[in-house]
Structures are given as structure tokens and as C-alpha cells.
Amino acid sequence: MQPFETLDPGRPAVVAGMAREASAGPAHGSDAILRRFARFVTLTGADRRRLLHLAGTATPQAARRTVLTEARPCDCLHMLVAGWAMETRTLPTGERQVLRIRLPGEVFGAECLAYGQALQSVQMLTGGLIARIPRNAVADLRVRHPQVVTGLALMGLYERAVLQEWIIGLGRRPAWPRIAHLLLEIDERCRLSGLARPAGTPFPLKQRDLADCTGLTLTTVNRVLADMRRRRLIGLRAQALAIPGRDDLARACGFQPRYLRPDLAVAPGPAPKHIASVG
Amino acid sequence: MQPFETLDPGRPAVVAGMAREASAGPAHGSDAILRRFARFVTLTGADRRRLLHLAGTATPQAARRTVLTEARPCDCLHMLVAGWAMETRTLPTGERQVLRIRLPGEVFGAECLAYGQALQSVQMLTGGLIARIPRNAVADLRVRHPQVVTGLALMGLYERAVLQEWIIGLGRRPAWPRIAHLLLEIDERCRLSGLARPAGTPFPLKQRDLADCTGLTLTTVNRVLADMRRRRLIGLRAQALAIPGRDDLARACGFQPRYLRPDLAVAPGPAPKHIASVG
DNA sequence: CGACGATTTGACTACAGTCAATGCTTGTGG
DNA sequence: CCACAAGCATTGACTGTAGTCAAATCGTCG
């Protein structure tokens, strides 16, 4: 099987902590930011230039580095210009819960502006680049680049929808479909972000990370993944995920990518039959 | 023990589907809306008048009525002018997951504006009043009442923080502390909203609802509540909740109301000791 | 009183957790 | 180039928390 060099899961910029191609081709670097905003709003040239300038201030981050620590004072918005990250909370018992996975081009830490501190930690999953946007620069965006702020608001709604889907999974889905749903969600997000490659999508999460996403134990995650592989539903190796049995998998866990597609046209018609139609 | 008439959990306006005092005293009706916004932003007189006008268009809703159905096309923002509600999702298996509890004065359904449809159902927990704000009225707010829109954005961050806390609970807290945390959260939100009374806070949720909030079964919820009562940590009767053992309960489940207080000053200093301080 | 919804309780089951050992990769330094 | 260590993945045996199934009781409201 291919060594998946082309599937390099977002370590475009950093090797051993050093930036290599931070401003290389158009498919790398700050480009991810613009492509992400473009999915939510239409930006002016000035908006784009401003975002690119902000992204240009990004600094390299090594894989697994903690870039933001919960409960620490913080007054900035953050842009993940390149690389993957995850937001986590650690309980007094030492247990960890992952709250979301961050893909290249995403903005995070908005809650710092409201709370004056980070509510959760952010850890890099791969090497990457992060730009900090101080409060006054955000205020400036509000005045001079309202479309950017509108984009941020819509991204917030989008993220809330994803959080809700995680709640459904944690609350009501057994281990197998819970993991299946997460894999499909990450895969779909990669596709929508243009990160997917013919052989599969990048997948820098360890089994330990999957366990902390799903509230399961490492042992259970390992057994479920082994089962999915045995059934030839997924292929997971060398930091890359392939889902040959996508339809079967989606059916088995009730995955409906609607919530990942705010741009999708509304399908008119009545609610699904299993829902009591009182309204 | 008192019959808790004064604890009436938010059915201020509706009895048997009929509005009684929709525009009664200042402590009722649309007032809740203004008080909630005031916690996030400073409104001008014009802002307040506009909100009151919108709230004035509210229609009465009976307890347990479904006021918004998931997957149905929808183009409005909604204001819960009076009464309690909950947002839920129903799985194909018929299982239900509650996503959040809505208190009087809250705004819901913002995702409809981005997705063109409701992502989850909303059901009344008590009788109440609901106002619909059509898309063009929201656009008008953006232009003429930017502070109102800022308030909505901050409320969105707040709600995301609450969602995250639910994820922690569902993912990593055993049944007992999970329920304890939820009770404390609802209680604290009531206090911050001025709904609490000396004898306790209103609590219109059934054990079935608690089970669907926490991803547990009705049986488990019942046993945990019985245990908490036996230990004299809580008193739960006649639609009202009292928590005499608040401190013990909070310690037992690691409840920290920080996330419910965006207005709170940041406590300077290092992160809690159980968190690896890498950043 | 009778009916319905809500709560309570008991007996049994099972899914996922815990504990522990082993195997496999990857990266580092001799 | 190989030895070694560290992190990650895999597997087995056993345990326990919460789920399932079922029935009884309580309480409120016609």
C-alpha cells in the first residue's frame, strides 16, 4: 500500500519545531483561512488582505504542543493557519475529554474574548502555524471588516451544531456507532475543507485521542476499530483514514451530514416519520 | 413544607393554553428578555423598546407543546418571553437526547438562520409565551440595533460553554456526579436569572427529562435522586428544587460555575495543579 | 372513584471498564 | 547498522456500573 506521503496530515510547515514552508505554494499556509471563510461569507479584497496579513503573523508550533491552557487568562482570538489541533478539558481525576477537533484554517478561542480566560486547553495534533489576534484587532475587524465578523458568527453556529452532535453521540449512541459517527464526521469535514485525497483523508489522531473524544476507554476504541477493519468498513494506517464502507457505516450509526453543510439547500417536506409531528 | 406557590416554575402567563397576565407587572412577561440581555450588553432605550415590541408579539404556548420540530424548514429566531423549554433530538430508535434547557427570556433557534431549518425540536416544559422574529426583522436589528446583535453573539458563546460542560459530563462523569452537576447548573442559572426563591428554585423537569439530559435511564436517575435525598443533599418536590448540601454536592461533582459567569472578573494566577502547564 | 402519568423498587443482564501482559513501530544514540 | 527505549497498538480475563424488564405504589385530576 502507498506510504501516503501525499496525505501528510497537516504537518506542512513544521518539522521538529522549525517552520519549513510557512509561505510556500497557494495550497499551503494562510490559504486555508480564506477558503474556510469563503464557505460562510463573501469577503471583499480588503477583507482577504486583512486576514492574510493577520495569518502572516503566525508562529510555528510543534506537534503535541499545548498552545492554550484552560483557566489561564487570555485575551486573544487564535487562528490555526496550518496543522490540526484539538480542544480538551482535563478533570481533577486526570481524565481528559476532547471537545472538538480543529482543522487547518479554523479560528478558535473566541470564548476568551467573553470570559477573559481560556475555558479549555488547545493542543496541536500535528505541527502547524498559529496566529494570535489581540482584542483590539478584533475590535478593528468589527468596524472595518464586518463580513469577517459575520463569518465568525456563522462559524460559531456551525460549531455549536457539531457540539450538539457530539452530545447525541455521548448520550445515546453505543460505542460502535459512536466511533463510526466520529470517523465519518472527521472524514466529511476533511472533504469539505479540501483535505481529502483519493487514498483517504489525513488522520493524525491516536487511539488515545479517539477514546478521549468519545468518552470511551482506549481498550474499547481498539476493539471497535479492529472490528471495523475486519468488516472492511475502514482502513486506518499511517496517519490516514480510508472508508470503503462509507454507506454501510453511515447507515449503521445514523450519520447525516446535514449539520456539516450549512450551505446546503433546505430539503422541503415533513419531518422524518420517527418524530412526533406536533408543531 | 410550603406548597411553593411562589415557586411557580415559569407558568406565569398560561393556564390550560390561555394567556392570563401576558403583560402584567414588570416582574412578568417581556421583562425577562431585557434582564437577560442586560447581563451581556448595555442596551440603549431604543434597543429596549424594539425588544419589548418584538416580545409583545409573543403567543401563548401550553406546557409540553412542541413549538419547533427538527428538520422542518424554519427561517425565524425565537424568543422565549416566558416559561421554560427544552431543546431535544430524537434518534431513529425513538430515544431522545435533551440538548439544553431554556429559561424565561432566552433566545433560541439562531441556527435556523444559517441552516434554513431547525436542527432540533423545542418543547415547552411549562406554559409560556413565544415570539417569532422573522429573518428580515433580524436583518433590521443588525442595522439599527447592533448592540442587540452583539448580545446575541455573546449569548452564543455562553451557550457553547454550557454545551461543552454537558460534553464533559456525558463523556467523563459517572451517573451520580453527572446528575449532581446538572442540578447545580440549573440551580445556578436560575439564581443568575433571578428566578430563585428562598425555599429553592423552580424545577419543572420530570425524571424522564433528567434522564434524557444526562443520557441515563429513568431507573438510574430515580435511584441517584433517592440517594441524594437520603443524604439530605437535595430536596426535590412539587416542581421545586432546594439544595441544602450545595457545597458538598459541588465538591462531589467538581462543579465550578465559572462558565456560567462570563461577567466574572478573571482570577489571575496559574492553571489548576492537575493540568500539565506546558503553554 | 378511576385513569393516567410519574415515581419507586427489585431481580437480572450486559456493555464497556479495569487490570495486566505482550507485540509492534518509530526514533535515538552508540 | 544495530540496540534500546518510549510510545502506541493489541489481546485476554475479569469486574462493575448502569441498563433492561417488570411490577407496585403514589398522586393528581376529571
Side-chain angles (χ1 to χ4, degrees):
Chain A
M1 178 168 266
Q2 282 192 29
F4 287 108
E5 308 95 339
T6 54
L7 285 174
D8 187 330
R11 52 185 125 103
V14 174
V15 171
M18 280 290 298
R20 238 200 319 175
E21 40 178 328
S23 52
H28 297 295
S30 332
D31 195 50
I33 299 284
L34 293 188
R35 269 184 290 126
R36 185 157 305 275
F37 270 92
R39 285 181 51 207
F40 293 91
V41 284
T42 305
L43 297 180
T44 67
D47 292 338
R48 278 194 288 269
R49 279 190 297 277
R50 182 78 189 121
L51 281 177
L52 282 180
H53 176 260
L54 289 169
T57 67
T59 56
Q61 307 289 334
R64 292 280 149 183
R65 175 162 157 47
T66 298
V67 293
L68 200 57
T69 303
E70 66 188 270
R72 285 266 186 83
C74 171
D75 214 24
C76 294
L77 203 58
H78 288 73
M79 287 198 315
L80 183 57
V81 176
W84 290 44
M86 58 184 173
E87 302 192 18
T88 67
R89 281 276 300 276
T90 304
L91 300 185
T93 60
E95 286 177 305
R96 195 181 62 159
Q97 175 67 44
V98 175
L99 296 169
R100 60 171 69 84
I101 303 297
R102 289 293 185 187
L103 265 40
E106 294 192 355
V107 175
F108 65 90
E111 74 282 357
C112 296
L113 299 176
Y115 288 83
Q117 62 184 288
L119 294 184
Q120 62 269 3
S121 300
V122 178
Q123 188 180 21
M124 298 301 297
L125 277 167
T126 70
L129 291 168
I130 287 185
R132 311 184 68 192
I133 309 179
R135 180 184 286 281
N136 55 19
V138 177
D140 176 72
L141 287 177
R142 289 174 60 93
V143 176
R144 289 196 230 171
H145 303 279
Q147 277 306 89
V148 170
V149 176
T150 300
L152 289 173
L154 290 173
M155 289 172 186
L157 289 177
Y158 174 85
E159 284 168 23
R160 213 166 56 169
V162 175
L163 274 183
Q164 291 186 173
E165 207 59 45
W166 281 38
I167 286 184
I168 314 287
L170 288 163
R172 290 300 182 204
R173 275 192 268 264
W176 204 99
R178 196 186 301 181
I179 294 174
H181 199 278
L182 177 62
L183 295 180
L184 287 166
E185 177 183 296
I186 293 178
D187 178 67
E188 181 71 10
R189 286 175 61 198
C190 282
R191 292 164 173 276
L192 293 171
S193 300
L195 297 173
R197 295 290 170 273
T201 54
F203 198 83
L205 283 77
K206 311 289 182 202
Q207 292 188 5
R208 165 87 265 149
D209 302 322
L210 281 177
D212 290 337
C213 287
T214 52
L216 299 166
T217 56
L218 180 53
T219 310
T220 301
V221 168
N222 181 280
R223 285 180 178 137
V224 169
L225 288 180
D227 183 69
M228 289 176 180
R229 264 190 290 241
R230 205 177 316 117
R231 296 171 193 269
R232 312 244 173 241
L233 293 171
I234 64 167
L236 186 50
R237 67 184 65 194
Q239 309 254 81
L241 169 69
I243 312 188
R246 186 184 317 274
D247 293 346
D248 289 339
L249 207 59
R251 212 171 306 116
C253 68
F255 177 70
Q256 305 206 210
R258 178 169 43 121
Y259 70 106
L260 297 174
R261 309 289 307 268
D263 51 321
L264 222 57
V266 181
K273 57 221 153 301
H274 68 268
I275 298 177
S277 301
V278 185
Chain B
M1 177 167 266
Q2 282 191 31
F4 287 108
E5 310 94 340
T6 56
L7 286 175
D8 188 330
R11 53 186 125 101
V14 173
V15 171
M18 281 290 297
R20 236 199 322 173
E21 39 178 328
S23 52
H28 296 294
S30 332
D31 195 49
I33 299 283
L34 294 187
R35 271 184 290 126
R36 186 157 305 274
F37 270 92
R39 285 181 50 207
F40 293 90
V41 285
T42 305
L43 296 179
T44 67
D47 292 338
R48 277 193 289 269
R49 277 190 299 277
R50 182 78 188 120
L51 281 176
L52 282 179
H53 176 260
L54 288 169
T57 67
T59 57
Q61 307 291 334
R64 292 281 150 183
R65 174 161 164 28
T66 297
V67 293
L68 200 56
T69 303
E70 66 187 271
R72 285 266 186 83
C74 172
D75 214 27
C76 294
L77 203 58
H78 287 73
M79 286 198 317
L80 183 57
V81 176
W84 290 43
M86 60 183 171
E87 303 192 17
T88 66
R89 281 275 300 277
T90 304
L91 299 186
T93 61
E95 287 177 302
R96 194 181 63 157
Q97 175 67 45
V98 175
L99 295 169
R100 59 171 69 82
I101 303 297
R102 289 292 186 189
L103 264 41
E106 294 193 353
V107 175
F108 65 90
E111 74 282 356
C112 297
L113 299 177
Y115 289 84
Q117 61 184 289
L119 295 184
Q120 61 268 0
S121 300
V122 178
Q123 188 181 19
M124 298 301 296
L125 277 167
T126 69
L129 292 168
I130 287 186
R132 311 184 66 194
I133 310 178
R135 179 183 286 281
N136 54 20
V138 177
D140 177 72
L141 287 177
R142 288 173 60 92
V143 176
R144 290 197 229 171
H145 303 279
Q147 277 307 88
V148 170
V149 175
T150 301
L152 290 173
L154 290 173
M155 289 172 186
L157 289 177
Y158 174 86
E159 283 168 23
R160 213 166 55 170
V162 176
L163 275 182
Q164 292 186 172
E165 207 60 45
W166 281 39
I167 286 186
I168 313 287
L170 289 163
R172 291 299 182 205
R173 275 193 268 265
W176 204 100
R178 195 185 302 181
I179 293 173
H181 199 280
L182 177 62
L183 295 180
L184 287 166
E185 177 182 295
I186 293 177
D187 178 67
E188 181 71 10
R189 286 176 60 198
C190 283
R191 292 163 172 275
L192 292 171
S193 300
L195 297 172
R197 295 290 170 273
T201 54
F203 198 84
L205 284 77
K206 311 288 182 203
Q207 292 188 5
R208 165 88 266 147
D209 302 323
L210 280 177
D212 289 337
C213 287
T214 52
L216 298 165
T217 56
L218 179 53
T219 311
T220 300
V221 168
N222 181 278
R223 286 180 178 137
V224 169
L225 288 179
D227 183 69
M228 289 177 179
R229 265 191 288 242
R230 206 175 317 116
R231 296 170 193 269
R232 312 245 174 241
L233 294 171
I234 65 168
L236 186 51
R237 69 184 65 194
Q239 309 256 77
L241 169 69
I243 312 188
R246 187 183 315 275
D247 294 345
D248 290 338
L249 207 59
R251 213 173 305 117
C253 68
F255 178 70
Q256 305 206 211
R258 181 171 36 123
Y259 69 106
L260 297 174
R261 310 288 307 268
D263 51 319
L264 221 57
V266 181
K273 56 223 154 300
H274 67 269
I275 298 176
S277 301
V278 185

